[in-house]
Amino acid sequence: MAPSWLVGPTSRVVAVLRPDPTKKRFEIDICSNASAEAMRKVAASGTTGDAELVCPNCKERTKIKSIRGDGRGTFGESRSLLRGWENSDVVSRPKDIFRERLYCIRWVDTWTELDDEGNERVCSDRHYAAITAEDVKREKKVLDLLAERFDEWQKKGFIPNRRIEPGEKTDEPIRTRGWTHWQHLFTPRQLLIDGLFLEQADMVKAGMTAKAAALLGVGRCADWNSRLCRWGTGAARESIAQTFSNQALNTLVTYASKALSLLDGSWFPMSPIATVSGTSNVEVRDARAVVQTCDLWITDPPYADAVNYHELSEFFLAWYAGGIRKLFPNWTSDSRRALAVQGADDSFRDSMVAAYRQLASHMPDNGLQVVMFTHQNPAVWADLALILWGAGLRVTAAWCIQTEREATGTRDGNYVQGTVLLVLRKQQSEVTTFMDEVYQEVEAEVRHQLDTMRDLDDAKDPNFGDTDYQLAAYAAALRVLTAKKIEEIDIAYELTRVRTKGEKSPVEELIERAVKIACDHLVPKGIDTHLWKSLTPMERLYLKGLELESHGEHRTGVYQELARGFGVDEYKPLLASTKANETRLKTATEFGRKEMGDVGFGASLVRHALFATFKTAETESPRDGITWLTGEVKDYASSRQRVIEVLEFLAARRQNASLPHWHQDAEAAGLLAGALRNRQDNV
């Protein structure tokens, strides 16, 4: 089972299946110097995809859940045919449904040589090879060495011995592989290496700080060297991704394991050392039970689809348990799941209000709090507003800062690059206002927030995308909402009432309005404000999406967020591709005659401009395009200037390197715009 047989895209290495009819199996050969065509074929010839196994011989497809036997056995909640692994298992057994085989080894030769100027430089050369009998012997040796130490190491806490407790994220390795203990997420070689690290650290006569550092170092090694570490071949990568490349425990059909030398950066993290003067006190405490008074509280709260840290932390705690008992006898190595404030629970809002009310009561009147928040659902922001409001806090400032690199790989969804920092102070105003006044204040505040961000941003190397501006709109709305009491909103009631599916609170409606204000305010460059205001939501979505696309933005979630902001229910007919990180809009030619009858877009000014562009590109003459516009555009004489502006906006795409598929149509749009402008000048 493998999603791809492309091993090294830059090294031009592929794996080739060679049938062995006698043993009824495939041997796996590793071939170097593969041609571009061979690499393309093997990349698309994987044996797994869409949760199915694809037979490399007959191409028959079988659901993975059918192979597991979901519903036909006794294991786990899915009642599968899997065997639940026992504590002592470190490799699969011969009769297990899912087994493993090592099929490729990579090593790197490194040497130094002098360059033309006599300076030394480090050179390296990668090698890939199929498995030999000697490799099999070495793996057997590793297994034997681990077996000799296994029981003793578990007793001393050098390797994990804890069961995986069921949970939203921890169910995954149990359900898909039958792994029941944390050590099952590691190969014998990985367990042997990390166990030796902890054994040696325990033997060394060193202080508590050094031993704690060693414990954390093993945690880093475990993160970067487990059965959940993906071998990355996307975008010409030949590297190993860490276990928590996302916040889940994803079991893989193929994975990569590191040798000792590759763990250097994990065991010895290259972090800058800074000396901090003054006194400090570090405690682990429930926010609802703090007793210290502080001038400043900084929090990063859970919300809605919050990361399940209370479950995922157990991956590391399984390795830390033995060391914690020795180094910090008063600490607990339990994740304390029951104390976690979770965003999906009915008591979520109550717990959050209690936490922030406690923090507010333990800061002076001139103290402040900073809340770090990143989410794109108005309902979640509405909950946050009510929580802060209910805790007696008000938002006095909000800043959106760049905290994430641009999403790469094949991750789908709208991954914002910014986090909003909300500055909170105690609510001391007794002023009451009304919703109609709040609407006006929100609009002014949102526009001010966006203008401030754009003034600070670098036009040549922007830090913020449209999704970040929308986050700022949420924050601006909270600044107005929490400033004073609103006559029509009973905070206590809104916090406790049970909402029916699809029901929106007044706060959520107001925040959605803030997003629409942001979308209307962020006019694409090259579009006149008056023209922008006259367009339909679908037209705005198309033109704004095209601008984002010209900046290299191809994430599906961006269009989802734009659609939400513009109030568009169905936007997929506008898209030529919905593939993750390759999402883009249709060009004029790709639209052709399609969607011409659609009342939401087909009869619009932008759609007519696109069709006229298509006709111009088709005939390489603006004549048919002009004929279409003059005959089909309602009130053409008064709309001509607006049509020209749209065409010139489309024409500006012809020099854009991110839009090669637009160049021909953009040329046609420019030709048509020029012809229309000449006709106008000659009238």
Side-chain angles (χ1 to χ4, degrees):
M1 297 173 65
S4 169
W5 294 111
L6 179 60
V7 176
T10 56
S11 302
R12 296 166 53 197
V13 177
V14 299
V16 178
L17 298 182
R18 177 166 48 84
D20 186 344
T22 304
K23 296 181 180 179
K24 295 183 179 181
R25 57 176 278 166
F26 288 91
E27 296 299 335
I28 304 176
D29 296 329
I30 301 299
C31 302
S32 302
N33 299 318
S35 66
E37 179 63 17
M39 292 172 63
R40 184 189 65 78
K41 285 183 177 180
V42 299
S45 64
T47 54
T48 58
D50 298 325
E52 293 180 325
L53 173 67
V54 183
C55 176
N57 186 37
C58 66
K59 307 303 179 186
E60 185 74 21
R61 305 180 75 92
T62 307
K63 295 287 186 182
I64 300 296
K65 65 180 182 180
S66 297
I67 296 173
R68 283 198 308 263
D70 289 2
R72 307 200 311 271
T74 58
F75 179 76
E77 290 188 6
S78 60
R79 293 183 293 109
S80 72
L81 296 173
L82 291 177
R83 176 187 67 87
W85 283 31
E86 297 177 6
N87 174 62
S88 58
D89 287 323
V90 291
V91 293
S92 58
R93 297 182 186 177
K95 292 185 178 181
D96 283 346
I97 292 174
F98 294 112
R99 302 196 63 198
E100 296 176 349
R101 64 189 288 192
L102 182 64
Y103 71 90
C104 182
I105 292 178
R106 187 187 85 162
W107 72 96
V108 180
D109 288 332
T110 304
W111 67 94
T112 59
E113 61 182 31
L114 299 179
D115 59 20
D116 294 339
E117 297 178 357
N119 299 315
E120 278 193 354
R121 64 179 180 184
V122 178
C123 302
S124 62
D125 190 16
R126 298 172 181 167
H127 303 275
Y128 293 84
I131 306 307
T132 66
E134 292 302 314
D135 295 319
V136 175
K137 288 181 180 179
R138 277 187 282 270
E139 293 306 299
K140 177 63 168 58
K141 177 67 172 178
V142 168
L143 185 58
D144 292 341
L145 290 171
L146 177 64
E148 292 172 5
R149 296 160 173 77
F150 190 84
D151 291 339
E152 181 186 359
W153 276 5
Q154 281 201 328
K155 290 177 183 177
K156 293 184 176 180
F158 297 155
I159 58 175
N161 64 352
R162 288 187 172 185
R163 292 190 67 87
I164 302 174
E165 296 299 326
E168 184 178 346
K169 296 300 180 183
T170 49
D171 276 344
E172 186 72 2
I174 301 172
R175 180 183 64 84
T176 60
R177 292 293 185 274
W179 296 338
T180 59
H181 291 68
W182 287 107
Q183 67 269 23
H184 297 155
L185 274 60
F186 301 88
T187 67
R189 184 179 290 271
Q190 292 165 345
L191 290 172
L192 183 64
I193 290 175
D194 290 348
L196 285 169
F197 276 144
L198 287 180
E199 183 184 54
Q200 292 300 311
D202 185 65
M203 294 168 59
V204 172
K205 293 182 179 180
M208 179 184 292
T209 301
K211 288 184 178 290
L215 201 60
L216 293 173
V218 167
R220 285 175 57 90
C221 291
D223 184 25
W224 284 94
N225 200 31
S226 78
R227 280 187 165 112
L228 308 186
C229 289
R230 185 180 67 256
W231 174 246
T233 58
R237 291 178 58 212
E238 295 180 23
S239 60
I240 299 174
Q242 65 193 113
T243 298
F244 291 108
S245 55
N246 62 10
Q247 289 77 36
L249 294 167
N250 300 303
T251 54
L252 308 168
V253 292
T254 58
Y255 61 87
S257 179
K258 292 187 176 184
L260 180 61
S261 60
L262 273 183
L263 291 172
D264 180 79
S266 300
W267 181 250
F268 300 108
M270 304 302 291
S271 301
I273 297 175
T275 301
V276 179
S277 59
T279 60
S280 64
N281 182 42
V282 179
E283 288 187 27
V284 178
R285 186 182 291 273
D286 191 321
R288 293 162 289 189
V290 298
V291 294
Q292 299 92 343
T293 295
C294 294
D295 294 324
L296 170 64
W297 293 103
I298 302 174
T299 55
D300 184 0
Y303 41 85
D305 56 352
V307 177
N308 291 275
Y309 291 117
H310 53 289
E311 294 181 17
L312 301 180
S313 63
E314 293 166 2
F315 174 93
F316 297 102
L317 289 172
W319 284 98
Y320 297 158
I324 288 176
R325 287 195 300 268
K326 297 175 184 177
L327 298 174
F328 310 101
N330 295 326
W331 287 20
T332 177
S333 59
D334 182 77
S335 64
R336 297 185 176 184
R337 288 193 188 188
L339 298 179
V341 176
Q342 300 179 51
D345 193 90
D346 291 339
S347 63
F348 170 66
R349 288 192 292 271
D350 289 341
S351 298
M352 290 281 281
V353 170
Y356 279 106
R357 185 177 287 145
Q358 185 74 357
L359 296 179
S361 68
H362 285 79
M363 72 182 197
D365 289 343
N366 64 345
L368 57 87
Q369 296 190 34
V370 175
V371 175
M372 305 175 68
F373 202 76
T374 302
H375 211 281
Q376 296 160 269
N377 189 329
V380 177
W381 279 90
D383 274 348
L384 179 67
L386 291 169
I387 287 164
L388 299 178
W389 223 349
L393 296 165
R394 62 189 176 95
V395 179
T396 59
W399 295 95
C400 190
I401 62 170
Q402 187 181 27
T403 54
E404 303 286 344
R405 292 179 298 173
E406 186 175 351
T408 58
T410 57
R411 293 191 302 167
D412 194 4
N414 193 9
Y415 295 92
V416 294
Q417 292 166 229
T419 293
V420 176
L421 302 187
L422 301 172
V423 180
L424 312 175
R425 293 186 182 274
K426 285 186 176 181
Q427 176 59 268
Q428 297 174 321
S429 173
E430 295 297 326
V431 176
T432 300
T433 188
F434 296 91
M435 282 296 288
D436 56 349
E437 297 174 318
V438 172
Y439 284 136
Q440 297 176 20
E441 291 180 33
V442 165
E443 181 169 355
E445 190 66 27
V446 168
R447 295 183 187 280
H448 172 72
Q449 178 74 52
L450 301 183
D451 288 341
T452 301
M453 289 174 64
R454 288 201 293 194
D455 290 342
L456 290 172
D457 213 358
D458 187 336
K460 293 183 179 179
D461 184 21
N463 290 318
F464 306 122
D466 271 48
T467 47
D468 299 310
Y469 283 107
Q470 289 179 14
L471 278 183
Y474 293 140
L478 259 64
R479 196 155 56 240
V480 174
L481 274 168
T482 59
K484 58 193 82 170
K485 296 179 181 178
I486 300 176
E487 186 68 28
E488 294 92 335
I489 298 178
D490 183 333
I491 300 174
Y493 169 71
E494 290 293 339
L495 280 168
T496 57
R497 75 184 178 94
V498 178
R499 298 173 192 148
T500 59
K501 186 177 181 180
E503 182 184 4
K504 296 179 181 178
S505 69
V507 177
E508 184 179 348
E509 290 178 347
L510 194 147
I511 290 175
E512 284 187 344
R513 184 166 179 164
V515 177
K516 291 180 180 178
I517 293 169
C519 289
D520 290 342
H521 191 61
L522 296 169
V523 181
K525 186 177 181 181
I527 296 293
D528 180 76
T529 303
H530 296 292
L531 169 62
W532 184 247
K533 290 181 178 180
S534 72
L535 299 176
T536 67
M538 285 279 277
E539 290 178 292
R540 294 185 189 184
L541 188 150
Y542 184 85
L543 295 181
K544 188 64 184 177
L546 189 56
E547 181 186 54
L548 294 178
E549 194 179 318
S550 68
H551 296 159
E553 182 60 84
H554 298 289
R555 293 174 290 177
T556 301
V558 170
Y559 292 93
Q560 294 172 348
E561 196 65 24
L562 284 178
R564 179 185 296 163
F566 288 125
V568 175
D569 294 328
E570 182 53 61
Y571 63 92
K572 290 186 179 178
L574 304 183
L575 301 178
S577 170
T578 57
K579 190 174 180 181
N581 293 307
E582 294 181 16
T583 303
R584 70 172 181 84
L585 296 160
K586 291 177 182 175
T587 65
T589 297
E590 287 169 335
F591 268 118
R593 300 179 183 275
K594 299 175 184 176
E595 285 85 35
M596 290 303 299
D598 175 53
V599 293
F601 188 63
S604 68
L605 186 77
V606 171
R607 182 65 187 96
H608 284 308
L610 287 167
F611 186 78
T613 298
F614 157 63
K615 296 299 294 182
T616 301
E618 185 179 48
T619 62
E620 298 184 355
S621 170
R623 181 180 303 170
D624 288 347
I626 293 173
T627 300
W628 174 266
L629 293 171
T630 55
E632 298 295 331
V633 175
K634 187 178 180 180
D635 300 325
Y636 170 73
S638 60
S639 300
R640 176 163 46 186
Q641 183 57 40
R642 294 163 59 225
V643 172
I644 292 173
E645 286 186 40
V646 172
L647 290 169
E648 289 178 339
F649 177 81
L650 299 177
R653 312 304 116 185
R654 59 189 156 201
Q655 301 298 330
N656 194 291
S658 297
L659 303 173
H661 51 283
W662 253 103
H663 291 176
Q664 183 177 354
D665 282 351
E667 288 287 350
L671 182 64
L672 181 57
L676 288 175
R677 196 171 288 285
N678 288 335
R679 284 170 61 91
Q680 184 177 355
D681 294 340
N682 292 332
V683 172

PDB file of all heavy atoms in Angstrom, residues 121-136:
ATOM      1  N   ARG A 121      34.036  24.074   1.223  1.00  0.00           N
ATOM      2  CA  ARG A 121      32.580  23.985   1.173  1.00  0.00           C
ATOM      3  C   ARG A 121      32.169  22.530   1.385  1.00  0.00           C
ATOM      4  O   ARG A 121      32.894  21.607   1.037  1.00  0.00           O
ATOM      5  CB  ARG A 121      32.034  24.492  -0.159  1.00  0.00           C
ATOM      6  CG  ARG A 121      32.475  23.670  -1.370  1.00  0.00           C
ATOM      7  CD  ARG A 121      31.872  24.235  -2.638  1.00  0.00           C
ATOM      8  NE  ARG A 121      32.278  23.452  -3.803  1.00  0.00           N
ATOM      9  CZ  ARG A 121      31.956  23.770  -5.062  1.00  0.00           C
ATOM     10  NH1 ARG A 121      31.232  24.845  -5.294  1.00  0.00           N
ATOM     11  NH2 ARG A 121      32.365  22.999  -6.064  1.00  0.00           N
ATOM     12  N   VAL A 122      30.998  22.374   1.995  1.00  0.00           N
ATOM     13  CA  VAL A 122      30.485  21.038   2.287  1.00  0.00           C
ATOM     14  C   VAL A 122      29.648  20.562   1.105  1.00  0.00           C
ATOM     15  O   VAL A 122      28.765  21.269   0.620  1.00  0.00           O
ATOM     16  CB  VAL A 122      29.626  21.038   3.564  1.00  0.00           C
ATOM     17  CG1 VAL A 122      29.044  19.652   3.830  1.00  0.00           C
ATOM     18  CG2 VAL A 122      30.451  21.513   4.756  1.00  0.00           C
ATOM     19  N   CYS A 123      29.943  19.369   0.623  1.00  0.00           N
ATOM     20  CA  CYS A 123      29.202  18.785  -0.495  1.00  0.00           C
ATOM     21  C   CYS A 123      28.534  17.489  -0.020  1.00  0.00           C
ATOM     22  O   CYS A 123      29.002  16.841   0.916  1.00  0.00           O
ATOM     23  CB  CYS A 123      30.134  18.481  -1.667  1.00  0.00           C
ATOM     24  SG  CYS A 123      31.024  19.923  -2.279  1.00  0.00           S
ATOM     25  N   SER A 124      27.464  17.144  -0.654  1.00  0.00           N
ATOM     26  CA  SER A 124      26.766  15.911  -0.275  1.00  0.00           C
ATOM     27  C   SER A 124      26.132  15.277  -1.500  1.00  0.00           C
ATOM     28  O   SER A 124      25.884  15.940  -2.513  1.00  0.00           O
ATOM     29  CB  SER A 124      25.696  16.199   0.789  1.00  0.00           C
ATOM     30  OG  SER A 124      24.709  17.076   0.277  1.00  0.00           O
ATOM     31  N   ASP A 125      25.870  14.001  -1.381  1.00  0.00           N
ATOM     32  CA  ASP A 125      25.260  13.238  -2.475  1.00  0.00           C
ATOM     33  C   ASP A 125      24.299  12.220  -1.871  1.00  0.00           C
ATOM     34  O   ASP A 125      24.680  11.438  -0.995  1.00  0.00           O
ATOM     35  CB  ASP A 125      26.339  12.531  -3.298  1.00  0.00           C
ATOM     36  CG  ASP A 125      25.781  11.941  -4.585  1.00  0.00           C
ATOM     37  OD1 ASP A 125      24.663  12.336  -4.977  1.00  0.00           O
ATOM     38  OD2 ASP A 125      26.453  11.077  -5.179  1.00  0.00           O
ATOM     39  N   ARG A 126      23.044  12.247  -2.303  1.00  0.00           N
ATOM     40  CA  ARG A 126      22.036  11.326  -1.787  1.00  0.00           C
ATOM     41  C   ARG A 126      22.049  10.023  -2.571  1.00  0.00           C
ATOM     42  O   ARG A 126      22.218  10.021  -3.784  1.00  0.00           O
ATOM     43  CB  ARG A 126      20.640  11.938  -1.887  1.00  0.00           C
ATOM     44  CG  ARG A 126      20.441  13.206  -1.070  1.00  0.00           C
ATOM     45  CD  ARG A 126      19.091  13.820  -1.410  1.00  0.00           C
ATOM     46  NE  ARG A 126      18.852  15.048  -0.674  1.00  0.00           N
ATOM     47  CZ  ARG A 126      17.879  15.900  -0.957  1.00  0.00           C
ATOM     48  NH1 ARG A 126      17.061  15.649  -1.956  1.00  0.00           N
ATOM     49  NH2 ARG A 126      17.714  16.993  -0.236  1.00  0.00           N
ATOM     50  N   HIS A 127      21.814   8.946  -1.833  1.00  0.00           N
ATOM     51  CA  HIS A 127      21.717   7.630  -2.470  1.00  0.00           C
ATOM     52  C   HIS A 127      20.458   6.930  -1.964  1.00  0.00           C
ATOM     53  O   HIS A 127      20.132   7.009  -0.777  1.00  0.00           O
ATOM     54  CB  HIS A 127      22.941   6.765  -2.139  1.00  0.00           C
ATOM     55  CG  HIS A 127      24.243   7.379  -2.528  1.00  0.00           C
ATOM     56  ND1 HIS A 127      24.777   7.276  -3.789  1.00  0.00           N
ATOM     57  CD2 HIS A 127      25.130   8.124  -1.802  1.00  0.00           C
ATOM     58  CE1 HIS A 127      25.926   7.913  -3.831  1.00  0.00           C
ATOM     59  NE2 HIS A 127      26.173   8.438  -2.638  1.00  0.00           N
ATOM     60  N   TYR A 128      19.780   6.255  -2.859  1.00  0.00           N
ATOM     61  CA  TYR A 128      18.603   5.454  -2.499  1.00  0.00           C
ATOM     62  C   TYR A 128      18.848   4.021  -2.974  1.00  0.00           C
ATOM     63  O   TYR A 128      19.404   3.805  -4.052  1.00  0.00           O
ATOM     64  CB  TYR A 128      17.335   5.983  -3.167  1.00  0.00           C
ATOM     65  CG  TYR A 128      16.882   7.341  -2.679  1.00  0.00           C
ATOM     66  CD1 TYR A 128      17.415   8.520  -3.202  1.00  0.00           C
ATOM     67  CD2 TYR A 128      15.898   7.444  -1.701  1.00  0.00           C
ATOM     68  CE1 TYR A 128      16.986   9.759  -2.772  1.00  0.00           C
ATOM     69  CE2 TYR A 128      15.450   8.679  -1.260  1.00  0.00           C
ATOM     70  CZ  TYR A 128      16.003   9.838  -1.800  1.00  0.00           C
ATOM     71  OH  TYR A 128      15.567  11.062  -1.360  1.00  0.00           O
ATOM     72  N   ALA A 129      18.401   3.051  -2.165  1.00  0.00           N
ATOM     73  CA  ALA A 129      18.622   1.649  -2.543  1.00  0.00           C
ATOM     74  C   ALA A 129      17.492   0.780  -2.021  1.00  0.00           C
ATOM     75  O   ALA A 129      16.865   1.072  -0.988  1.00  0.00           O
ATOM     76  CB  ALA A 129      19.960   1.148  -1.995  1.00  0.00           C
ATOM     77  N   ALA A 130      17.231  -0.286  -2.746  1.00  0.00           N
ATOM     78  CA  ALA A 130      16.257  -1.277  -2.299  1.00  0.00           C
ATOM     79  C   ALA A 130      16.846  -2.085  -1.143  1.00  0.00           C
ATOM     80  O   ALA A 130      18.047  -2.035  -0.866  1.00  0.00           O
ATOM     81  CB  ALA A 130      15.865  -2.196  -3.456  1.00  0.00           C
ATOM     82  N   ILE A 131      16.000  -2.854  -0.474  1.00  0.00           N
ATOM     83  CA  ILE A 131      16.405  -3.594   0.707  1.00  0.00           C
ATOM     84  C   ILE A 131      17.162  -4.860   0.319  1.00  0.00           C
ATOM     85  O   ILE A 131      16.762  -5.594  -0.592  1.00  0.00           O
ATOM     86  CB  ILE A 131      15.170  -3.959   1.545  1.00  0.00           C
ATOM     87  CG1 ILE A 131      14.366  -2.695   1.849  1.00  0.00           C
ATOM     88  CG2 ILE A 131      15.573  -4.656   2.833  1.00  0.00           C
ATOM     89  CD1 ILE A 131      15.176  -1.600   2.474  1.00  0.00           C
ATOM     90  N   THR A 132      18.254  -5.104   1.033  1.00  0.00           N
ATOM     91  CA  THR A 132      19.043  -6.315   0.817  1.00  0.00           C
ATOM     92  C   THR A 132      18.882  -7.253   2.021  1.00  0.00           C
ATOM     93  O   THR A 132      18.311  -6.883   3.055  1.00  0.00           O
ATOM     94  CB  THR A 132      20.529  -5.972   0.646  1.00  0.00           C
ATOM     95  OG1 THR A 132      21.027  -5.443   1.890  1.00  0.00           O
ATOM     96  CG2 THR A 132      20.723  -4.945  -0.462  1.00  0.00           C
ATOM     97  N   ALA A 133      19.424  -8.455   1.894  1.00  0.00           N
ATOM     98  CA  ALA A 133      19.379  -9.413   3.001  1.00  0.00           C
ATOM     99  C   ALA A 133      20.111  -8.870   4.225  1.00  0.00           C
ATOM    100  O   ALA A 133      19.719  -9.129   5.378  1.00  0.00           O
ATOM    101  CB  ALA A 133      19.996 -10.743   2.557  1.00  0.00           C
ATOM    102  N   GLU A 134      21.190  -8.098   3.988  1.00  0.00           N
ATOM    103  CA  GLU A 134      21.942  -7.519   5.097  1.00  0.00           C
ATOM    104  C   GLU A 134      21.102  -6.491   5.854  1.00  0.00           C
ATOM    105  O   GLU A 134      21.191  -6.377   7.080  1.00  0.00           O
ATOM    106  CB  GLU A 134      23.234  -6.869   4.572  1.00  0.00           C
ATOM    107  CG  GLU A 134      24.247  -7.853   4.029  1.00  0.00           C
ATOM    108  CD  GLU A 134      24.647  -8.879   5.088  1.00  0.00           C
ATOM    109  OE1 GLU A 134      24.922  -8.471   6.243  1.00  0.00           O
ATOM    110  OE2 GLU A 134      24.661 -10.081   4.774  1.00  0.00           O
ATOM    111  N   ASP A 135      20.286  -5.737   5.117  1.00  0.00           N
ATOM    112  CA  ASP A 135      19.398  -4.766   5.773  1.00  0.00           C
ATOM    113  C   ASP A 135      18.390  -5.481   6.668  1.00  0.00           C
ATOM    114  O   ASP A 135      18.100  -5.035   7.785  1.00  0.00           O
ATOM    115  CB  ASP A 135      18.651  -3.927   4.725  1.00  0.00           C
ATOM    116  CG  ASP A 135      19.579  -3.064   3.902  1.00  0.00           C
ATOM    117  OD1 ASP A 135      20.504  -2.485   4.487  1.00  0.00           O
ATOM    118  OD2 ASP A 135      19.371  -2.974   2.680  1.00  0.00           O
ATOM    119  N   VAL A 136      17.861  -6.578   6.178  1.00  0.00           N
ATOM    120  CA  VAL A 136      16.901  -7.354   6.964  1.00  0.00           C
ATOM    121  C   VAL A 136      17.550  -7.852   8.250  1.00  0.00           C
ATOM    122  O   VAL A 136      16.940  -7.833   9.332  1.00  0.00           O
ATOM    123  CB  VAL A 136      16.344  -8.532   6.137  1.00  0.00           C
ATOM    124  CG1 VAL A 136      15.443  -9.415   6.998  1.00  0.00           C
ATOM    125  CG2 VAL A 136      15.591  -8.023   4.915  1.00  0.00           C
TER     126      VAL A 136
END
